[in-house]
Amino acid sequence: MKTIIRKNYLNTLSVLKDKNLIKVATGVRRCGKSTLMMQFQDLLRAENPNVSVLAINMDMPEFRILAEKNWKQIYDYIIQHIKKNETNYVFIDEVQNVPEFEKLLEGLYVHPNIDLYVTGSNAFLLSSELATLLTGRAYEINVLPFSFADYLEFTEKTANPDRAFAEYVRTGGFPEAVRLSQAGNNFANEYLQTVFKNIYENDISKRHTIYAEESYQEVVDFLIDSVGSNVSAGNIAKVLSANKKKIDNKTVSKYINTLVEAYLFYKVNRYDIKGKQHLATQEKYYLVDLGFRNALLGKELVSDAGHLLENVIYLELKRRNHQIWIGKTDNLEVDFVVRNNEGYTQYIQVSQTVQNAITLARELAPFDKIPDHNEKILITMDYETGTHNGIKQINAIDWLLNP
């Protein structure tokens, strides 16, 4: 297996190069942020062998010890190691490990000879005080694990995309998990269990008080098992309490927020298509990587295949930098209301198969309730494609591989 170039992310970094912005690569741990930044550093050196690049990884003990004193220690180290009278490209990996890191970023941002790039595995990077501080100064690049196209390139399994897709849904797209899966799924699963434990210990429990780890894991398992379904803190609390895991709505809500903050899940709100307004209830949560489902729950692919496909489609829409909502029209639901970078709206339904006439009618019904003429797409795993009264039916693998 080879190292692949994450072209879309690198293109974004190239466009932002030398712009007066802090480039912030966010995303779950081990998804490839550090590799992306190293690839960009290689690109800089290829363009100019004499370029000044300074890279710091805050997970490294020597820098962590330095930062434990205060943020100024890291700032002074950087200033001492940059060159005068030229642009210095400074990279800080896992910057959230620096106490008061916002002061570090502000100090480096105003330095005339620094073009600043940072990565972080926690949404706190762009929340609260830092969001106010960096308004207009930072550009977020949310990095996800491998797409299906990345997976095919990485594994070179292009001969049989259908079989490769089944493996992708089971293994997920964490680069190291994909690599280890070639030796056996058990290696990938054990790796992903370790990744989850690492995320919990470094990005969740260090920042939040978790009173009952067993209940916390129950909430995690519930969300993983409910991808693509409407959920609420109240509903989860009710189900867990019925199973003698006493927990209240407020605690469940807090636990969910920590999972979203650590980029393990993405929250998608509902949108009333006819009323053209955002709704505050019945949101959905999508898992950052389906490999966690197999590793943490041991679920088989045949279980809830339609919702797993929906999760894959959601992540791909996010990779394509679309705005995404769950659509509501009368009492029916549209899986995704999507607005692309040009401002165009699409409506997308996702179904494992619509070969059954009743299933096809059910999937098309919400489209009939939409009064406007924006593009409507039905994505399935069926080989059949075509149109249904102007609604395009597309094969999921074709859609994933042909943006």
Side-chain angles (χ1 to χ4, degrees):
M1 275 181 248
K2 56 184 179 180
T3 300
I4 68 165
I5 304 299
R6 311 289 291 274
K7 300 182 188 71
N8 289 344
Y9 298 132
L10 280 175
N11 288 342
T12 300
L13 288 171
S14 295
V15 169
L16 297 173
K17 174 177 168 283
D18 297 325
K19 300 291 192 297
N20 191 31
L21 292 164
I22 303 173
K23 277 64 76 172
V24 185
T26 60
V28 69
R29 283 179 181 265
R30 308 297 175 222
C31 70
K33 300 186 300 296
S34 301
T35 300
L36 172 67
M37 288 303 185
M38 286 190 286
Q39 289 177 348
F40 186 61
Q41 292 164 31
D42 291 340
L43 198 63
L44 292 173
R45 294 186 180 101
E47 293 174 353
N48 175 12
N50 297 316
V51 69
S52 177
V53 172
L54 178 61
I56 293 174
N57 186 340
M58 293 310 306
D59 275 344
M60 299 292 286
E62 59 267 36
F63 291 117
R64 190 177 291 179
I65 291 169
L66 202 60
E68 282 173 357
K69 298 175 182 177
N70 61 56
W71 65 270
K72 189 72 165 47
Q73 299 290 320
I74 298 295
Y75 176 84
D76 290 342
Y77 176 91
I78 291 171
I79 298 303
Q80 289 165 13
H81 286 81
I82 61 173
K83 297 178 181 177
K84 295 179 180 178
N85 303 319
E86 65 176 274
T87 300
N88 296 266
Y89 297 92
V90 175
F91 295 81
I92 308 176
D93 218 1
E94 301 297 352
V95 71
Q96 78 276 354
N97 290 339
V98 181
E100 297 184 293
F101 60 83
E102 60 271 23
K103 294 181 180 178
L104 170 65
L105 296 184
E106 185 176 33
L108 296 173
Y109 172 77
V110 299
H111 196 288
N113 297 333
I114 289 178
D115 190 20
L116 184 58
Y117 301 77
V118 302
T119 75
S121 300
N122 196 295
F124 180 67
L125 259 179
L126 295 173
S127 65
S128 62
E129 300 84 8
L130 187 59
T132 304
L133 171 70
L134 296 181
T135 298
R137 301 182 184 184
Y139 189 100
E140 181 186 10
I141 304 165
N142 188 242
V143 180
L144 290 164
F146 284 161
S147 67
F148 181 52
D150 293 332
Y151 177 88
L152 286 182
E153 183 181 351
F154 189 67
T155 60
E156 301 179 327
K157 293 181 177 180
T158 54
N160 190 338
D162 290 320
R163 180 174 179 178
F165 184 73
E167 293 172 357
Y168 171 68
V169 172
R170 181 174 58 248
T171 305
F174 279 92
E176 192 59 32
V178 176
R179 198 187 308 274
L180 287 169
S181 69
Q182 303 309 299
N185 286 324
N186 58 309
F187 293 105
N189 287 341
E190 288 173 14
Y191 170 77
L192 288 170
Q193 289 163 9
T194 302
V195 170
F196 179 83
K197 183 180 178 183
N198 186 257
I199 293 167
Y200 178 79
E201 291 176 350
N202 288 285
D203 297 318
I204 295 173
S205 63
K206 280 185 179 178
R207 292 204 59 244
H208 303 280
T209 303
I210 307 297
Y211 293 106
E213 290 192 7
E214 185 178 346
S215 294
Y216 189 90
Q217 189 62 51
E218 292 276 353
V219 173
V220 173
D221 292 349
F222 190 101
L223 280 184
I224 292 176
D225 204 25
S226 304
V227 293
S229 300
N230 297 320
V231 297
S232 68
N235 183 34
I236 296 174
K238 187 182 298 184
V239 172
L240 295 186
S241 295
N243 292 331
K244 300 181 180 179
K245 305 285 185 183
K246 189 168 177 56
I247 190 168
D248 59 31
N249 298 10
K250 188 176 179 181
T251 302
V252 171
S253 184
K254 173 192 170 184
Y255 287 173
I256 292 174
N257 288 339
T258 66
L259 293 165
V260 171
E261 193 178 79
Y263 297 107
L264 278 164
F265 289 88
Y266 287 93
K267 177 182 176 180
V268 186
N269 292 320
R270 292 168 71 81
Y271 180 75
D272 185 337
I273 296 170
K274 286 187 175 179
K276 297 188 182 302
Q277 60 180 337
H278 300 280
L279 304 172
T281 59
Q282 291 296 298
E283 60 270 10
K284 289 186 179 182
Y285 293 88
Y286 291 99
L287 185 59
V288 69
D289 189 86
L290 288 176
F292 280 131
R293 187 175 189 269
N294 194 34
L296 300 179
L297 297 187
K299 288 278 187 174
E300 292 299 323
L301 294 182
V302 292
S303 173
D304 218 10
H307 281 151
L308 300 190
L309 179 60
E310 190 178 319
N311 201 114
V312 171
I313 299 300
Y314 168 78
L315 292 175
E316 185 62 26
L317 288 168
K318 190 160 184 61
R319 285 187 190 92
R320 296 177 188 182
N321 292 319
H322 295 329
Q323 292 178 283
I324 312 160
W325 299 272
I326 307 304
K328 174 186 176 295
T329 175
D330 291 342
N331 61 336
L332 299 178
E333 182 177 280
V334 179
D335 289 329
F336 300 118
V337 178
V338 176
R339 189 166 298 139
N340 67 17
N341 294 330
E342 286 76 44
Y344 293 107
T345 299
Q346 281 183 334
Y347 302 110
I348 297 176
Q349 285 283 81
V350 181
S351 179
Q352 179 72 10
T353 177
V354 291
Q355 290 182 339
N356 180 290
I358 295 174
T359 304
L360 175 62
R362 185 186 68 232
E363 295 297 333
L364 295 177
F367 288 140
D368 295 332
K369 300 280 188 179
I370 299 173
D372 62 52
H373 298 288
N374 290 309
E375 187 176 32
K376 301 173 179 70
I377 300 174
L378 173 61
I379 300 176
T380 79
M381 289 299 291
D382 297 330
Y383 293 119
E384 293 83 358
T385 59
T387 60
H388 308 276
N389 295 324
I391 297 162
K392 294 181 184 176
Q393 183 176 336
I394 302 174
N395 174 266
I397 291 177
D398 289 342
W399 183 85
L400 289 166
L401 298 181
N402 298 285

